[in-house]
mmCIF file of all heavy atoms in Angstrom:
data_model
loop_
_atom_site.group_PDB
_atom_site.id
_atom_site.type_symbol
_atom_site.label_atom_id
_atom_site.label_comp_id
_atom_site.label_asym_id
_atom_site.label_seq_id
_atom_site.Cartn_x
_atom_site.Cartn_y
_atom_site.Cartn_z
ATOM 1 N N ASN A 305 159.373 54.289 132.958
ATOM 2 C CA ASN A 305 160.165 53.149 133.494
ATOM 3 C C ASN A 305 161.638 53.455 133.264
ATOM 4 O O ASN A 305 162.019 54.380 132.549
ATOM 5 C CB ASN A 305 159.777 51.798 132.882
ATOM 6 C CG ASN A 305 159.900 51.774 131.345
ATOM 7 O OD1 ASN A 305 160.993 52.042 130.816
ATOM 8 N ND2 ASN A 305 158.800 51.507 130.677
ATOM 9 N N GLY A 306 162.454 52.590 133.847
ATOM 10 C CA GLY A 306 163.891 52.774 133.754
ATOM 11 C C GLY A 306 164.437 52.448 132.424
ATOM 12 O O GLY A 306 165.472 53.080 131.982
ATOM 13 N N SER A 307 163.880 51.476 131.733
ATOM 14 C CA SER A 307 164.405 51.086 130.375
ATOM 15 C C SER A 307 164.199 52.290 129.438
ATOM 16 O O SER A 307 165.157 52.587 128.642
ATOM 17 C CB SER A 307 163.582 49.925 129.857
ATOM 18 O OG SER A 307 163.694 48.826 130.754
ATOM 19 N N LEU A 310 166.706 55.027 129.930
ATOM 20 C CA LEU A 310 167.977 54.750 129.248
ATOM 21 C C LEU A 310 167.894 55.120 127.779
ATOM 22 O O LEU A 310 168.793 55.704 127.215
ATOM 23 C CB LEU A 310 168.398 53.277 129.397
ATOM 24 C CG LEU A 310 168.998 52.850 130.727
ATOM 25 C CD1 LEU A 310 169.023 51.317 130.829
ATOM 26 C CD2 LEU A 310 170.427 53.414 130.871
ATOM 27 N N THR A 331 174.757 42.834 132.650
ATOM 28 C CA THR A 331 173.732 43.810 133.017
ATOM 29 C C THR A 331 172.394 43.423 132.385
ATOM 30 O O THR A 331 172.258 42.354 131.677
ATOM 31 C CB THR A 331 174.154 45.236 132.560
ATOM 32 O OG1 THR A 331 173.158 46.189 133.044
ATOM 33 C CG2 THR A 331 174.238 45.378 131.056
ATOM 34 N N ILE A 332 171.386 44.244 132.579
ATOM 35 C CA ILE A 332 170.049 43.947 132.074
ATOM 36 C C ILE A 332 170.012 44.336 130.587
ATOM 37 O O ILE A 332 170.715 45.190 130.133
ATOM 38 C CB ILE A 332 169.007 44.747 132.883
ATOM 39 C CG1 ILE A 332 167.588 44.288 132.577
ATOM 40 C CG2 ILE A 332 169.151 46.215 132.687
ATOM 41 C CD1 ILE A 332 166.538 44.847 133.591
ATOM 42 N N SER A 334 167.983 46.080 128.960
ATOM 43 C CA SER A 334 167.657 47.503 128.692
ATOM 44 C C SER A 334 168.878 48.321 128.266
ATOM 45 O O SER A 334 168.780 49.235 127.489
ATOM 46 C CB SER A 334 167.023 48.114 129.939
ATOM 47 O OG SER A 334 166.114 47.280 130.517
ATOM 48 N N CYS A 335 170.045 47.958 128.847
ATOM 49 C CA CYS A 335 171.281 48.745 128.557
ATOM 50 C C CYS A 335 171.697 48.535 127.130
ATOM 51 O O CYS A 335 171.912 49.477 126.411
ATOM 52 C CB CYS A 335 172.346 48.356 129.583
ATOM 53 S SG CYS A 335 171.940 48.655 131.286
ATOM 54 N N VAL A 377 176.951 50.887 134.947
ATOM 55 C CA VAL A 377 175.826 50.263 135.623
ATOM 56 C C VAL A 377 176.276 49.746 136.973
ATOM 57 O O VAL A 377 177.152 48.888 137.083
ATOM 58 C CB VAL A 377 175.234 49.121 134.810
ATOM 59 C CG1 VAL A 377 173.911 48.626 135.436
ATOM 60 C CG2 VAL A 377 175.052 49.485 133.341
ATOM 61 N N ASP A 403 173.610 54.252 135.026
ATOM 62 C CA ASP A 403 172.395 53.495 135.338
ATOM 63 C C ASP A 403 172.454 53.206 136.814
ATOM 64 O O ASP A 403 173.152 52.267 137.254
ATOM 65 C CB ASP A 403 172.305 52.209 134.494
ATOM 66 C CG ASP A 403 171.043 51.445 134.723
ATOM 67 O OD1 ASP A 403 170.368 51.694 135.768
ATOM 68 O OD2 ASP A 403 170.710 50.593 133.907
ATOM 69 N N ALA A 405 169.765 52.344 138.680
ATOM 70 C CA ALA A 405 168.493 51.727 139.039
ATOM 71 C C ALA A 405 168.557 50.866 140.277
ATOM 72 O O ALA A 405 167.596 50.783 141.006
ATOM 73 C CB ALA A 405 168.009 50.843 137.843
ATOM 74 N N GLU A 406 169.742 50.257 140.526
ATOM 75 C CA GLU A 406 169.833 49.311 141.625
ATOM 76 C C GLU A 406 170.480 49.904 142.877
ATOM 77 O O GLU A 406 170.763 49.183 143.806
ATOM 78 C CB GLU A 406 170.624 48.060 141.128
ATOM 79 C CG GLU A 406 169.916 47.393 139.964
ATOM 80 C CD GLU A 406 170.685 46.265 139.337
ATOM 81 O OE1 GLU A 406 171.745 45.868 139.870
ATOM 82 O OE2 GLU A 406 170.172 45.713 138.351
ATOM 83 N N SER A 427 165.156 53.346 138.097
ATOM 84 C CA SER A 427 163.950 52.644 137.867
ATOM 85 C C SER A 427 163.168 52.533 139.152
ATOM 86 O O SER A 427 163.749 52.472 140.189
ATOM 87 C CB SER A 427 164.243 51.230 137.330
ATOM 88 O OG SER A 427 163.169 50.343 137.558
ATOM 89 N N PHE A 428 161.843 52.537 139.016
ATOM 90 C CA PHE A 428 160.978 52.361 140.205
ATOM 91 C C PHE A 428 160.143 51.115 140.115
ATOM 92 O O PHE A 428 158.996 51.028 140.612
ATOM 93 C CB PHE A 428 160.147 53.604 140.472
ATOM 94 C CG PHE A 428 160.947 54.854 140.572
ATOM 95 C CD1 PHE A 428 160.707 55.899 139.710
ATOM 96 C CD2 PHE A 428 161.933 54.983 141.493
ATOM 97 C CE1 PHE A 428 161.413 57.060 139.789
ATOM 98 C CE2 PHE A 428 162.698 56.134 141.595
ATOM 99 C CZ PHE A 428 162.436 57.216 140.710
ATOM 100 N N TYR A 429 160.695 50.082 139.451
ATOM 101 C CA TYR A 429 160.008 48.798 139.402
ATOM 102 C C TYR A 429 159.899 48.273 140.873
ATOM 103 O O TYR A 429 160.708 48.676 141.702
ATOM 104 C CB TYR A 429 160.870 47.846 138.561
ATOM 105 C CG TYR A 429 160.158 46.543 138.240
ATOM 106 C CD1 TYR A 429 159.077 46.568 137.363
ATOM 107 C CD2 TYR A 429 160.547 45.348 138.872
ATOM 108 C CE1 TYR A 429 158.380 45.334 137.136
ATOM 109 C CE2 TYR A 429 159.861 44.199 138.614
ATOM 110 C CZ TYR A 429 158.761 44.178 137.766
ATOM 111 O OH TYR A 429 158.050 42.994 137.508
ATOM 112 N N LYS A 432 162.904 47.578 143.187
ATOM 113 C CA LYS A 432 163.942 48.600 143.425
ATOM 114 C C LYS A 432 163.718 49.184 144.825
ATOM 115 O O LYS A 432 162.732 48.924 145.432
ATOM 116 C CB LYS A 432 163.887 49.685 142.338
ATOM 117 C CG LYS A 432 163.996 49.069 140.924
ATOM 118 C CD LYS A 432 165.328 48.399 140.626
ATOM 119 C CE LYS A 432 165.271 47.363 139.546
ATOM 120 N NZ LYS A 432 165.371 47.792 138.221
ATOM 121 N N GLY A 439 157.973 52.782 136.674
ATOM 122 C CA GLY A 439 158.377 54.186 136.673
ATOM 123 C C GLY A 439 159.854 54.299 136.559
ATOM 124 O O GLY A 439 160.616 53.311 136.734
ATOM 125 N N TRP A 532 170.794 45.519 146.878
ATOM 126 C CA TRP A 532 169.572 45.678 146.087
ATOM 127 C C TRP A 532 168.888 44.310 146.080
ATOM 128 O O TRP A 532 167.717 44.176 146.348
ATOM 129 C CB TRP A 532 169.829 46.136 144.657
ATOM 130 C CG TRP A 532 168.615 46.013 143.822
ATOM 131 C CD1 TRP A 532 167.392 46.598 144.072
ATOM 132 C CD2 TRP A 532 168.460 45.258 142.627
ATOM 133 N NE1 TRP A 532 166.499 46.202 143.076
ATOM 134 C CE2 TRP A 532 167.135 45.416 142.216
ATOM 135 C CE3 TRP A 532 169.360 44.489 141.846
ATOM 136 C CZ2 TRP A 532 166.625 44.807 141.047
ATOM 137 C CZ3 TRP A 532 168.836 43.895 140.711
ATOM 138 C CH2 TRP A 532 167.506 44.059 140.310
HETATM 139 C C1 PLP B 887 165.481 47.487 136.761
HETATM 140 C C2 PLP B 887 166.593 47.950 135.913
HETATM 141 C C3 PLP B 887 166.417 48.632 134.701
HETATM 142 C C4 PLP B 887 165.072 48.709 134.015
HETATM 143 O O1 PLP B 887 164.118 49.377 134.664
HETATM 144 P P1 PLP B 887 162.552 49.161 134.303
HETATM 145 O O2 PLP B 887 161.916 50.235 135.132
HETATM 146 O O3 PLP B 887 162.185 47.784 134.767
HETATM 147 O O4 PLP B 887 162.410 49.350 132.892
HETATM 148 C C5 PLP B 887 167.473 49.160 134.047
HETATM 149 N N1 PLP B 887 168.723 48.983 134.499
HETATM 150 C C6 PLP B 887 169.006 48.288 135.674
HETATM 151 C C7 PLP B 887 170.394 48.122 136.078
HETATM 152 C C8 PLP B 887 167.929 47.732 136.361
HETATM 153 O O5 PLP B 887 168.189 47.006 137.471
#
Side-chain angles (χ1 to χ4, degrees):
N305 59 57
S307 303
L310 281 168
T331 185
I332 190 167
S334 316
C335 299
V377 189
D403 183 343
E406 300 175 4
S427 159
F428 305 122
Y429 190 70
K432 305 295 155 85
W532 169 55

